[in-house]
Amino acid sequence: EADIYQTPRYLVIGTGKKITLECSQTMGHDKMYWYQQDPGMELHLIHYSYGVNSTEKGDLSSESTVSRIRTEHFPLTLESARPSHTSQYLCASSWDNYGYTFGSGTRLTVV
Amino acid sequence: KQEVTQIPAALSVPEGENLVLNCSFTDSAIYNLQWFRQDPGKGLTSLLLIQSSQREQTSGRLNASLDKSSGRSTLYIAASQPGDSATYLCAVLNDYKLSFGAGTTVTVRA
């Protein structure tokens, strides 16, 4: 079964460090998304991409940045991590207006 | 802006009882509606996808209905089991972007 992969699964990092959360999909989906979810809270869209070299900010303001150089890869970067960035980050992909497929998420803790 | 509401926020039932989870949305111009399951600290697992032209979808013990004109969907889970304990999320797609409800947390007691 085609899948979407996120690494790392868990990350504990010190304040001020630069981090990159990886997301890759093998389904050839053109659209990819990053959602942020605090414990027990709703998912909020922070970034999306409709194709290579296309990235947009989502509904929730985020200090993170993304890139889409290859169809299958959509990494998210935080230049200087802060405790307020502690959250779960979920990557998803879709084709046209069909269903979304989500990865397992990265749980980030900034200390 | 699309707003998605899920009622109830939490539900606790004895094993074997049927579950009814409700979802409502404000903008009926949707492409599809998707129900997900989320276990604590995990990602989302897609349960059912209903296209805007469809009225319902079924998979095993799960059945989801969609009334686009009234902005409502209902997820039915028959003969609940302790393994069904999770948070269930409703999400609607507008312009390629998915908007989520806050979820219904279900506990099935053995």
Side-chain angles (χ1 to χ4, degrees):
Chain A
E1 181 179 320
D3 246 330
I4 181 163
Y5 307 97
Q6 288 188 246
T7 58
R9 184 72 182 88
Y10 302 95
L11 180 62
V12 180
I13 200 161
T15 297
K17 298 290 187 184
K18 178 180 178 179
I19 59 169
T20 296
L21 309 185
E22 300 288 348
C23 177
S24 295
Q25 50 97 4
T26 59
M27 297 169 280
H29 286 171
D30 55 345
K31 299 173 183 61
M32 296 188 74
Y33 312 84
W34 278 102
Y35 284 82
Q36 183 174 344
Q37 185 183 34
D38 292 330
M41 304 298 285
E42 297 177 39
L43 281 84
H44 293 284
L45 180 67
I46 52 174
H47 297 284
Y48 61 98
S49 167
Y50 288 165
V52 171
N53 294 325
S54 154
T55 61
E56 301 286 345
K57 290 189 178 294
D59 302 324
L60 181 68
S61 176
S62 174
E63 294 168 348
S64 59
T65 59
V66 293
S67 63
R68 188 91 183 276
I69 299 172
R70 301 196 316 266
T71 298
E72 64 272 19
H73 194 214
F74 192 40
L76 181 146
T77 298
L78 277 165
E79 290 293 334
S80 179
R82 296 208 299 265
S84 60
H85 296 140
T86 294
S87 189
Q88 176 161 250
Y89 294 84
L90 291 160
C91 181
S93 70
S94 71
W95 175 259
D96 204 15
N97 285 319
Y98 295 100
Y100 277 40
T101 302
F102 277 81
S104 299
T106 293
R107 185 169 293 279
L108 172 66
T109 302
V110 183
V111 299
Chain B
K1 180 177 182 287
Q2 178 73 269
E3 295 195 3
V4 182
T5 303
Q6 290 189 245
I7 294 173
L11 191 57
S12 179
V13 299
E15 183 176 4
E17 195 164 298
N18 297 331
L19 292 165
V20 181
L21 283 60
N22 296 298
C23 171
S24 62
F25 47 94
T26 54
D27 182 355
S28 62
I30 65 170
Y31 289 107
N32 61 47
L33 182 146
Q34 202 165 356
W35 282 94
F36 293 91
R37 169 185 171 137
Q38 185 175 33
D39 293 293
K42 301 289 180 64
L44 275 65
T45 300
S46 180
L47 298 174
L48 290 168
L49 170 69
I50 312 176
Q51 297 293 348
S52 62
S53 58
Q54 297 176 317
R55 290 292 189 130
E56 67 175 347
Q57 278 288 340
T58 298
S59 176
R61 295 183 295 112
L62 276 61
N63 174 275
S65 65
L66 173 64
D67 184 342
K68 201 174 84 158
S69 61
S70 67
R72 295 176 190 273
S73 176
T74 302
L75 177 66
Y76 301 90
I77 303 177
S80 61
Q81 303 168 358
D84 294 329
S85 297
T87 297
Y88 292 82
L89 297 166
C90 167
V92 295
L93 185 69
N94 297 84
D95 296 328
Y96 305 117
K97 286 188 279 184
L98 211 56
S99 299
F100 284 87
T104 294
T105 298
V106 171
T107 303
V108 181
R109 307 186 304 271

PDB file of all heavy atoms in Angstrom, chain A residues 31-64:
ATOM      1  N   LYS A  31      -0.670  17.406  -4.295  1.00  0.00           N
ATOM      2  CA  LYS A  31      -0.913  18.342  -3.192  1.00  0.00           C
ATOM      3  C   LYS A  31      -0.411  17.772  -1.872  1.00  0.00           C
ATOM      4  O   LYS A  31      -0.638  16.609  -1.556  1.00  0.00           O
ATOM      5  CB  LYS A  31      -2.404  18.658  -3.100  1.00  0.00           C
ATOM      6  CG  LYS A  31      -2.926  19.317  -4.375  1.00  0.00           C
ATOM      7  CD  LYS A  31      -4.408  19.480  -4.357  1.00  0.00           C
ATOM      8  CE  LYS A  31      -4.899  20.078  -5.676  1.00  0.00           C
ATOM      9  NZ  LYS A  31      -4.592  19.233  -6.837  1.00  0.00           N
ATOM     10  N   MET A  32       0.274  18.631  -1.106  1.00  0.00           N
ATOM     11  CA  MET A  32       0.768  18.218   0.207  1.00  0.00           C
ATOM     12  C   MET A  32       0.505  19.316   1.219  1.00  0.00           C
ATOM     13  O   MET A  32       0.401  20.497   0.858  1.00  0.00           O
ATOM     14  CB  MET A  32       2.256  17.861   0.148  1.00  0.00           C
ATOM     15  CG  MET A  32       2.541  16.653  -0.747  1.00  0.00           C
ATOM     16  SD  MET A  32       4.225  16.042  -0.673  1.00  0.00           S
ATOM     17  CE  MET A  32       4.242  15.225   0.936  1.00  0.00           C
ATOM     18  N   TYR A  33       0.396  18.910   2.485  1.00  0.00           N
ATOM     19  CA  TYR A  33      -0.056  19.827   3.541  1.00  0.00           C
ATOM     20  C   TYR A  33       0.697  19.544   4.838  1.00  0.00           C
ATOM     21  O   TYR A  33       1.087  18.405   5.109  1.00  0.00           O
ATOM     22  CB  TYR A  33      -1.552  19.612   3.815  1.00  0.00           C
ATOM     23  CG  TYR A  33      -2.416  19.564   2.582  1.00  0.00           C
ATOM     24  CD1 TYR A  33      -2.570  18.380   1.868  1.00  0.00           C
ATOM     25  CD2 TYR A  33      -3.080  20.689   2.132  1.00  0.00           C
ATOM     26  CE1 TYR A  33      -3.360  18.328   0.726  1.00  0.00           C
ATOM     27  CE2 TYR A  33      -3.880  20.640   0.987  1.00  0.00           C
ATOM     28  CZ  TYR A  33      -4.010  19.458   0.302  1.00  0.00           C
ATOM     29  OH  TYR A  33      -4.802  19.414  -0.824  1.00  0.00           O
ATOM     30  N   TRP A  34       0.849  20.586   5.652  1.00  0.00           N
ATOM     31  CA  TRP A  34       1.310  20.450   7.028  1.00  0.00           C
ATOM     32  C   TRP A  34       0.246  21.007   7.958  1.00  0.00           C
ATOM     33  O   TRP A  34      -0.238  22.123   7.769  1.00  0.00           O
ATOM     34  CB  TRP A  34       2.615  21.217   7.264  1.00  0.00           C
ATOM     35  CG  TRP A  34       3.840  20.492   6.842  1.00  0.00           C
ATOM     36  CD1 TRP A  34       4.577  20.682   5.712  1.00  0.00           C
ATOM     37  CD2 TRP A  34       4.497  19.437   7.555  1.00  0.00           C
ATOM     38  NE1 TRP A  34       5.636  19.825   5.673  1.00  0.00           N
ATOM     39  CE2 TRP A  34       5.610  19.044   6.809  1.00  0.00           C
ATOM     40  CE3 TRP A  34       4.250  18.790   8.775  1.00  0.00           C
ATOM     41  CZ2 TRP A  34       6.478  18.037   7.202  1.00  0.00           C
ATOM     42  CZ3 TRP A  34       5.117  17.789   9.184  1.00  0.00           C
ATOM     43  CH2 TRP A  34       6.211  17.427   8.392  1.00  0.00           C
ATOM     44  N   TYR A  35      -0.087  20.183   8.972  1.00  0.00           N
ATOM     45  CA  TYR A  35      -1.025  20.600  10.005  1.00  0.00           C
ATOM     46  C   TYR A  35      -0.296  20.588  11.351  1.00  0.00           C
ATOM     47  O   TYR A  35       0.602  19.782  11.576  1.00  0.00           O
ATOM     48  CB  TYR A  35      -2.219  19.646  10.092  1.00  0.00           C
ATOM     49  CG  TYR A  35      -3.225  19.829   8.985  1.00  0.00           C
ATOM     50  CD1 TYR A  35      -3.037  19.247   7.742  1.00  0.00           C
ATOM     51  CD2 TYR A  35      -4.379  20.592   9.193  1.00  0.00           C
ATOM     52  CE1 TYR A  35      -3.961  19.422   6.718  1.00  0.00           C
ATOM     53  CE2 TYR A  35      -5.313  20.766   8.182  1.00  0.00           C
ATOM     54  CZ  TYR A  35      -5.092  20.180   6.955  1.00  0.00           C
ATOM     55  OH  TYR A  35      -6.016  20.356   5.958  1.00  0.00           O
ATOM     56  N   GLN A  36      -0.718  21.473  12.236  1.00  0.00           N
ATOM     57  CA  GLN A  36      -0.207  21.512  13.604  1.00  0.00           C
ATOM     58  C   GLN A  36      -1.350  21.169  14.552  1.00  0.00           C
ATOM     59  O   GLN A  36      -2.488  21.652  14.370  1.00  0.00           O
ATOM     60  CB  GLN A  36       0.350  22.902  13.923  1.00  0.00           C
ATOM     61  CG  GLN A  36       0.974  23.011  15.301  1.00  0.00           C
ATOM     62  CD  GLN A  36       1.638  24.357  15.531  1.00  0.00           C
ATOM     63  OE1 GLN A  36       1.907  25.104  14.600  1.00  0.00           O
ATOM     64  NE2 GLN A  36       1.910  24.681  16.781  1.00  0.00           N
ATOM     65  N   GLN A  37      -1.053  20.341  15.545  1.00  0.00           N
ATOM     66  CA  GLN A  37      -2.084  19.936  16.497  1.00  0.00           C
ATOM     67  C   GLN A  37      -1.508  19.913  17.905  1.00  0.00           C
ATOM     68  O   GLN A  37      -0.626  19.101  18.205  1.00  0.00           O
ATOM     69  CB  GLN A  37      -2.636  18.554  16.144  1.00  0.00           C
ATOM     70  CG  GLN A  37      -3.797  18.126  17.041  1.00  0.00           C
ATOM     71  CD  GLN A  37      -4.292  16.724  16.721  1.00  0.00           C
ATOM     72  OE1 GLN A  37      -3.507  15.860  16.339  1.00  0.00           O
ATOM     73  NE2 GLN A  37      -5.596  16.498  16.878  1.00  0.00           N
ATOM     74  N   ASP A  38      -2.009  20.788  18.759  1.00  0.00           N
ATOM     75  CA  ASP A  38      -1.645  20.751  20.166  1.00  0.00           C
ATOM     76  C   ASP A  38      -2.467  19.657  20.853  1.00  0.00           C
ATOM     77  O   ASP A  38      -3.554  19.314  20.380  1.00  0.00           O
ATOM     78  CB  ASP A  38      -1.904  22.105  20.820  1.00  0.00           C
ATOM     79  CG  ASP A  38      -0.960  23.172  20.289  1.00  0.00           C
ATOM     80  OD1 ASP A  38       0.174  22.812  19.912  1.00  0.00           O
ATOM     81  OD2 ASP A  38      -1.351  24.346  20.233  1.00  0.00           O
ATOM     82  N   PRO A  39      -1.980  19.083  21.961  1.00  0.00           N
ATOM     83  CA  PRO A  39      -2.671  17.964  22.609  1.00  0.00           C
ATOM     84  C   PRO A  39      -4.128  18.265  22.916  1.00  0.00           C
ATOM     85  O   PRO A  39      -4.443  19.293  23.527  1.00  0.00           O
ATOM     86  CB  PRO A  39      -1.857  17.749  23.884  1.00  0.00           C
ATOM     87  CG  PRO A  39      -0.498  18.243  23.552  1.00  0.00           C
ATOM     88  CD  PRO A  39      -0.708  19.409  22.629  1.00  0.00           C
ATOM     89  N   GLY A  40      -5.015  17.408  22.459  1.00  0.00           N
ATOM     90  CA  GLY A  40      -6.435  17.558  22.723  1.00  0.00           C
ATOM     91  C   GLY A  40      -7.113  18.668  21.951  1.00  0.00           C
ATOM     92  O   GLY A  40      -8.287  18.978  22.216  1.00  0.00           O
ATOM     93  N   MET A  41      -6.392  19.248  21.018  1.00  0.00           N
ATOM     94  CA  MET A  41      -6.938  20.394  20.283  1.00  0.00           C
ATOM     95  C   MET A  41      -7.155  20.044  18.810  1.00  0.00           C
ATOM     96  O   MET A  41      -6.800  18.966  18.337  1.00  0.00           O
ATOM     97  CB  MET A  41      -5.989  21.585  20.408  1.00  0.00           C
ATOM     98  CG  MET A  41      -5.685  21.994  21.841  1.00  0.00           C
ATOM     99  SD  MET A  41      -7.146  22.538  22.740  1.00  0.00           S
ATOM    100  CE  MET A  41      -7.367  24.159  22.008  1.00  0.00           C
ATOM    101  N   GLU A  42      -7.744  21.003  18.087  1.00  0.00           N
ATOM    102  CA  GLU A  42      -8.036  20.806  16.665  1.00  0.00           C
ATOM    103  C   GLU A  42      -6.773  20.845  15.811  1.00  0.00           C
ATOM    104  O   GLU A  42      -5.743  21.375  16.234  1.00  0.00           O
ATOM    105  CB  GLU A  42      -8.963  21.923  16.173  1.00  0.00           C
ATOM    106  CG  GLU A  42     -10.315  21.941  16.833  1.00  0.00           C
ATOM    107  CD  GLU A  42     -11.150  23.107  16.356  1.00  0.00           C
ATOM    108  OE1 GLU A  42     -11.111  23.429  15.162  1.00  0.00           O
ATOM    109  OE2 GLU A  42     -11.847  23.710  17.197  1.00  0.00           O
ATOM    110  N   LEU A  43      -6.883  20.326  14.619  1.00  0.00           N
ATOM    111  CA  LEU A  43      -5.808  20.450  13.634  1.00  0.00           C
ATOM    112  C   LEU A  43      -5.941  21.795  12.928  1.00  0.00           C
ATOM    113  O   LEU A  43      -7.051  22.208  12.564  1.00  0.00           O
ATOM    114  CB  LEU A  43      -5.904  19.343  12.586  1.00  0.00           C
ATOM    115  CG  LEU A  43      -5.384  17.980  12.962  1.00  0.00           C
ATOM    116  CD1 LEU A  43      -6.438  17.203  13.724  1.00  0.00           C
ATOM    117  CD2 LEU A  43      -4.968  17.204  11.706  1.00  0.00           C
ATOM    118  N   HIS A  44      -4.795  22.428  12.712  1.00  0.00           N
ATOM    119  CA  HIS A  44      -4.784  23.695  11.999  1.00  0.00           C
ATOM    120  C   HIS A  44      -3.788  23.620  10.846  1.00  0.00           C
ATOM    121  O   HIS A  44      -2.638  23.211  11.039  1.00  0.00           O
ATOM    122  CB  HIS A  44      -4.419  24.849  12.928  1.00  0.00           C
ATOM    123  CG  HIS A  44      -5.453  25.130  13.964  1.00  0.00           C
ATOM    124  ND1 HIS A  44      -6.636  25.779  13.675  1.00  0.00           N
ATOM    125  CD2 HIS A  44      -5.507  24.818  15.275  1.00  0.00           C
ATOM    126  CE1 HIS A  44      -7.363  25.883  14.776  1.00  0.00           C
ATOM    127  NE2 HIS A  44      -6.707  25.305  15.757  1.00  0.00           N
ATOM    128  N   LEU A  45      -4.211  24.061   9.663  1.00  0.00           N
ATOM    129  CA  LEU A  45      -3.348  24.059   8.489  1.00  0.00           C
ATOM    130  C   LEU A  45      -2.315  25.169   8.590  1.00  0.00           C
ATOM    131  O   LEU A  45      -2.674  26.341   8.792  1.00  0.00           O
ATOM    132  CB  LEU A  45      -4.216  24.263   7.242  1.00  0.00           C
ATOM    133  CG  LEU A  45      -3.504  24.289   5.895  1.00  0.00           C
ATOM    134  CD1 LEU A  45      -2.920  22.912   5.583  1.00  0.00           C
ATOM    135  CD2 LEU A  45      -4.453  24.721   4.794  1.00  0.00           C
ATOM    136  N   ILE A  46      -1.036  24.831   8.467  1.00  0.00           N
ATOM    137  CA  ILE A  46       0.013  25.846   8.549  1.00  0.00           C
ATOM    138  C   ILE A  46       0.719  26.080   7.212  1.00  0.00           C
ATOM    139  O   ILE A  46       1.195  27.186   6.949  1.00  0.00           O
ATOM    140  CB  ILE A  46       1.044  25.531   9.660  1.00  0.00           C
ATOM    141  CG1 ILE A  46       1.606  24.117   9.538  1.00  0.00           C
ATOM    142  CG2 ILE A  46       0.434  25.745  11.039  1.00  0.00           C
ATOM    143  CD1 ILE A  46       2.738  23.825  10.518  1.00  0.00           C
ATOM    144  N   HIS A  47       0.790  25.058   6.357  1.00  0.00           N
ATOM    145  CA  HIS A  47       1.397  25.222   5.033  1.00  0.00           C
ATOM    146  C   HIS A  47       0.754  24.253   4.061  1.00  0.00           C
ATOM    147  O   HIS A  47       0.309  23.173   4.463  1.00  0.00           O
ATOM    148  CB  HIS A  47       2.905  24.930   5.047  1.00  0.00           C
ATOM    149  CG  HIS A  47       3.709  25.844   5.892  1.00  0.00           C
ATOM    150  ND1 HIS A  47       4.029  27.129   5.505  1.00  0.00           N
ATOM    151  CD2 HIS A  47       4.275  25.647   7.115  1.00  0.00           C
ATOM    152  CE1 HIS A  47       4.760  27.683   6.455  1.00  0.00           C
ATOM    153  NE2 HIS A  47       4.918  26.819   7.437  1.00  0.00           N
ATOM    154  N   TYR A  48       0.748  24.630   2.767  1.00  0.00           N
ATOM    155  CA  TYR A  48       0.297  23.687   1.763  1.00  0.00           C
ATOM    156  C   TYR A  48       1.017  23.953   0.449  1.00  0.00           C
ATOM    157  O   TYR A  48       1.573  25.039   0.226  1.00  0.00           O
ATOM    158  CB  TYR A  48      -1.217  23.695   1.588  1.00  0.00           C
ATOM    159  CG  TYR A  48      -1.830  25.003   1.146  1.00  0.00           C
ATOM    160  CD1 TYR A  48      -2.141  25.238  -0.187  1.00  0.00           C
ATOM    161  CD2 TYR A  48      -2.151  25.984   2.088  1.00  0.00           C
ATOM    162  CE1 TYR A  48      -2.740  26.424  -0.580  1.00  0.00           C
ATOM    163  CE2 TYR A  48      -2.736  27.180   1.697  1.00  0.00           C
ATOM    164  CZ  TYR A  48      -3.045  27.387   0.368  1.00  0.00           C
ATOM    165  OH  TYR A  48      -3.632  28.569  -0.022  1.00  0.00           O
ATOM    166  N   SER A  49       0.980  22.937  -0.400  1.00  0.00           N
ATOM    167  CA  SER A  49       1.638  23.016  -1.702  1.00  0.00           C
ATOM    168  C   SER A  49       0.769  22.303  -2.727  1.00  0.00           C
ATOM    169  O   SER A  49       0.332  21.179  -2.497  1.00  0.00           O
ATOM    170  CB  SER A  49       3.022  22.365  -1.637  1.00  0.00           C
ATOM    171  OG  SER A  49       3.534  22.174  -2.938  1.00  0.00           O
ATOM    172  N   TYR A  50       0.559  22.955  -3.875  1.00  0.00           N
ATOM    173  CA  TYR A  50      -0.243  22.351  -4.930  1.00  0.00           C
ATOM    174  C   TYR A  50       0.628  21.711  -6.015  1.00  0.00           C
ATOM    175  O   TYR A  50       0.110  21.233  -7.011  1.00  0.00           O
ATOM    176  CB  TYR A  50      -1.188  23.379  -5.542  1.00  0.00           C
ATOM    177  CG  TYR A  50      -2.338  23.767  -4.644  1.00  0.00           C
ATOM    178  CD1 TYR A  50      -3.113  24.898  -4.912  1.00  0.00           C
ATOM    179  CD2 TYR A  50      -2.656  23.019  -3.518  1.00  0.00           C
ATOM    180  CE1 TYR A  50      -4.176  25.257  -4.091  1.00  0.00           C
ATOM    181  CE2 TYR A  50      -3.705  23.367  -2.681  1.00  0.00           C
ATOM    182  CZ  TYR A  50      -4.460  24.495  -2.976  1.00  0.00           C
ATOM    183  OH  TYR A  50      -5.504  24.848  -2.166  1.00  0.00           O
ATOM    184  N   GLY A  51       1.951  21.781  -5.821  1.00  0.00           N
ATOM    185  CA  GLY A  51       2.850  21.170  -6.786  1.00  0.00           C
ATOM    186  C   GLY A  51       4.270  21.654  -6.572  1.00  0.00           C
ATOM    187  O   GLY A  51       4.534  22.491  -5.692  1.00  0.00           O
ATOM    188  N   VAL A  52       5.169  21.145  -7.402  1.00  0.00           N
ATOM    189  CA  VAL A  52       6.576  21.525  -7.282  1.00  0.00           C
ATOM    190  C   VAL A  52       6.728  23.041  -7.417  1.00  0.00           C
ATOM    191  O   VAL A  52       6.080  23.663  -8.265  1.00  0.00           O
ATOM    192  CB  VAL A  52       7.399  20.789  -8.355  1.00  0.00           C
ATOM    193  CG1 VAL A  52       8.817  21.313  -8.401  1.00  0.00           C
ATOM    194  CG2 VAL A  52       7.400  19.294  -8.087  1.00  0.00           C
ATOM    195  N   ASN A  53       7.558  23.598  -6.543  1.00  0.00           N
ATOM    196  CA  ASN A  53       7.863  25.033  -6.494  1.00  0.00           C
ATOM    197  C   ASN A  53       6.661  25.894  -6.115  1.00  0.00           C
ATOM    198  O   ASN A  53       6.693  27.113  -6.321  1.00  0.00           O
ATOM    199  CB  ASN A  53       8.450  25.523  -7.821  1.00  0.00           C
ATOM    200  CG  ASN A  53       9.802  24.903  -8.105  1.00  0.00           C
ATOM    201  OD1 ASN A  53      10.582  24.671  -7.189  1.00  0.00           O
ATOM    202  ND2 ASN A  53      10.079  24.624  -9.368  1.00  0.00           N
ATOM    203  N   SER A  54       5.630  25.289  -5.566  1.00  0.00           N
ATOM    204  CA  SER A  54       4.446  26.017  -5.108  1.00  0.00           C
ATOM    205  C   SER A  54       4.262  25.787  -3.618  1.00  0.00           C
ATOM    206  O   SER A  54       4.131  24.642  -3.176  1.00  0.00           O
ATOM    207  CB  SER A  54       3.213  25.510  -5.848  1.00  0.00           C
ATOM    208  OG  SER A  54       2.031  25.706  -5.078  1.00  0.00           O
ATOM    209  N   THR A  55       4.309  26.861  -2.811  1.00  0.00           N
ATOM    210  CA  THR A  55       4.037  26.745  -1.380  1.00  0.00           C
ATOM    211  C   THR A  55       3.222  27.956  -0.943  1.00  0.00           C
ATOM    212  O   THR A  55       3.414  29.060  -1.457  1.00  0.00           O
ATOM    213  CB  THR A  55       5.315  26.668  -0.534  1.00  0.00           C
ATOM    214  OG1 THR A  55       6.078  27.859  -0.716  1.00  0.00           O
ATOM    215  CG2 THR A  55       6.153  25.459  -0.907  1.00  0.00           C
ATOM    216  N   GLU A  56       2.336  27.716   0.018  1.00  0.00           N
ATOM    217  CA  GLU A  56       1.481  28.783   0.541  1.00  0.00           C
ATOM    218  C   GLU A  56       1.348  28.621   2.043  1.00  0.00           C
ATOM    219  O   GLU A  56       1.423  27.507   2.564  1.00  0.00           O
ATOM    220  CB  GLU A  56       0.081  28.710  -0.078  1.00  0.00           C
ATOM    221  CG  GLU A  56       0.033  28.832  -1.585  1.00  0.00           C
ATOM    222  CD  GLU A  56       0.290  30.247  -2.068  1.00  0.00           C
ATOM    223  OE1 GLU A  56       0.224  31.184  -1.235  1.00  0.00           O
ATOM    224  OE2 GLU A  56       0.559  30.407  -3.286  1.00  0.00           O
ATOM    225  N   LYS A  57       1.102  29.714   2.732  1.00  0.00           N
ATOM    226  CA  LYS A  57       0.825  29.664   4.166  1.00  0.00           C
ATOM    227  C   LYS A  57      -0.633  29.292   4.384  1.00  0.00           C
ATOM    228  O   LYS A  57      -1.516  29.674   3.607  1.00  0.00           O
ATOM    229  CB  LYS A  57       1.143  31.007   4.818  1.00  0.00           C
ATOM    230  CG  LYS A  57       2.634  31.314   4.862  1.00  0.00           C
ATOM    231  CD  LYS A  57       2.922  32.524   5.707  1.00  0.00           C
ATOM    232  CE  LYS A  57       4.402  32.796   5.778  1.00  0.00           C
ATOM    233  NZ  LYS A  57       5.123  31.726   6.502  1.00  0.00           N
ATOM    234  N   GLY A  58      -0.871  28.580   5.479  1.00  0.00           N
ATOM    235  CA  GLY A  58      -2.220  28.147   5.796  1.00  0.00           C
ATOM    236  C   GLY A  58      -2.959  29.132   6.669  1.00  0.00           C
ATOM    237  O   GLY A  58      -2.601  30.305   6.762  1.00  0.00           O
ATOM    238  N   ASP A  59      -3.985  28.615   7.333  1.00  0.00           N
ATOM    239  CA  ASP A  59      -4.863  29.472   8.136  1.00  0.00           C
ATOM    240  C   ASP A  59      -4.214  29.901   9.442  1.00  0.00           C
ATOM    241  O   ASP A  59      -4.512  30.974   9.972  1.00  0.00           O
ATOM    242  CB  ASP A  59      -6.180  28.739   8.434  1.00  0.00           C
ATOM    243  CG  ASP A  59      -6.879  28.322   7.163  1.00  0.00           C
ATOM    244  OD1 ASP A  59      -6.817  29.081   6.177  1.00  0.00           O
ATOM    245  OD2 ASP A  59      -7.481  27.228   7.149  1.00  0.00           O
ATOM    246  N   LEU A  60      -3.338  29.061   9.994  1.00  0.00           N
ATOM    247  CA  LEU A  60      -2.695  29.371  11.268  1.00  0.00           C
ATOM    248  C   LEU A  60      -1.296  29.890  10.993  1.00  0.00           C
ATOM    249  O   LEU A  60      -0.510  29.267  10.294  1.00  0.00           O
ATOM    250  CB  LEU A  60      -2.622  28.113  12.145  1.00  0.00           C
ATOM    251  CG  LEU A  60      -1.991  28.306  13.531  1.00  0.00           C
ATOM    252  CD1 LEU A  60      -2.891  29.160  14.402  1.00  0.00           C
ATOM    253  CD2 LEU A  60      -1.730  26.953  14.189  1.00  0.00           C
ATOM    254  N   SER A  61      -1.007  31.069  11.558  1.00  0.00           N
ATOM    255  CA  SER A  61       0.308  31.653  11.357  1.00  0.00           C
ATOM    256  C   SER A  61       1.381  30.771  11.996  1.00  0.00           C
ATOM    257  O   SER A  61       1.209  30.281  13.118  1.00  0.00           O
ATOM    258  CB  SER A  61       0.340  33.051  11.980  1.00  0.00           C
ATOM    259  OG  SER A  61       1.632  33.598  11.890  1.00  0.00           O
ATOM    260  N   SER A  62       2.463  30.563  11.278  1.00  0.00           N
ATOM    261  CA  SER A  62       3.536  29.721  11.789  1.00  0.00           C
ATOM    262  C   SER A  62       4.878  30.342  11.428  1.00  0.00           C
ATOM    263  O   SER A  62       5.025  30.939  10.358  1.00  0.00           O
ATOM    264  CB  SER A  62       3.426  28.316  11.199  1.00  0.00           C
ATOM    265  OG  SER A  62       4.532  27.529  11.564  1.00  0.00           O
ATOM    266  N   GLU A  63       5.864  30.178  12.317  1.00  0.00           N
ATOM    267  CA  GLU A  63       7.210  30.678  12.043  1.00  0.00           C
ATOM    268  C   GLU A  63       8.015  29.687  11.217  1.00  0.00           C
ATOM    269  O   GLU A  63       9.150  29.957  10.855  1.00  0.00           O
ATOM    270  CB  GLU A  63       7.912  30.997  13.367  1.00  0.00           C
ATOM    271  CG  GLU A  63       7.260  32.162  14.104  1.00  0.00           C
ATOM    272  CD  GLU A  63       7.754  32.296  15.529  1.00  0.00           C
ATOM    273  OE1 GLU A  63       8.412  31.381  16.037  1.00  0.00           O
ATOM    274  OE2 GLU A  63       7.460  33.338  16.144  1.00  0.00           O
ATOM    275  N   SER A  64       7.437  28.559  10.901  1.00  0.00           N
ATOM    276  CA  SER A  64       8.130  27.562  10.104  1.00  0.00           C
ATOM    277  C   SER A  64       8.085  27.913   8.626  1.00  0.00           C
ATOM    278  O   SER A  64       7.272  28.751   8.190  1.00  0.00           O
ATOM    279  CB  SER A  64       7.495  26.184  10.326  1.00  0.00           C
ATOM    280  OG  SER A  64       6.127  26.216   9.979  1.00  0.00           O
TER     281      SER A  64
END
